[in-house]
Amino acid sequence: MIRPGNKIPVDGKVTEGRSPVDESMLTGESMPTEKKPGDTVIGATINKSGAFRYTATKVGADTALAQIVKLVQEAQNSKAPAQLLADRASQWLVLAAIVIGLLSASRYCSP
């Protein structure tokens, strides 16, 4: 049973009752979405004014919020192909600068 003001703990399907649910944290939509029997609800969203019963359909790593967190972590940990190319080019550029510096120093510092 989800009462007014409660957070929805996990993803599920409404079985009875009606209520507007604030899904702005996931969708960006500022207006609450009316949920009725048969509609799906997403975990971590907030029930606004009505009450409803629902059945959990996804828990743990299967929830929509967990999937979003996983995708964000993967995106932060991976590099774009252009970034990989830039990293390789900078390694060669640093090596070339050191070699040119050593050659210049040996040319001007030798007696």
Side-chain angles (χ1 to χ4, degrees):
M1 179 73 167
I2 304 297
R3 293 184 171 80
N6 286 2
K7 271 190 180 176
I8 298 168
V10 294
D11 296 0
K13 187 172 270 197
V14 177
T15 56
E16 60 183 80
R18 299 175 89 90
S19 180
V21 175
D22 180 5
E23 297 177 334
S24 61
M25 66 167 280
L26 293 172
T27 64
E29 177 63 43
S30 60
M31 296 297 293
T33 306
E34 182 72 25
K35 297 296 181 178
K36 59 190 180 310
D39 289 346
T40 58
V41 290
I42 300 169
T45 56
I46 301 171
N47 183 27
K48 293 307 252 179
S49 58
F52 62 89
R53 289 189 184 275
Y54 86 112
T55 303
T57 57
K58 295 180 181 177
V59 295
D62 295 332
T63 63
L65 187 59
Q67 294 297 322
I68 291 169
V69 168
K70 180 182 170 191
L71 289 172
V72 168
Q73 286 175 340
E74 287 175 4
Q76 288 177 337
N77 291 334
S78 66
K79 287 188 178 181
Q83 182 65 42
L84 293 173
L85 180 64
D87 288 347
R88 268 193 228 128
S90 67
Q91 288 173 350
W92 287 107
L93 184 62
V94 167
L95 181 60
I98 291 172
V99 168
I100 291 170
L102 289 174
L103 288 174
S104 296
S106 66
R107 185 173 192 185
Y108 290 108
C109 294
S110 59

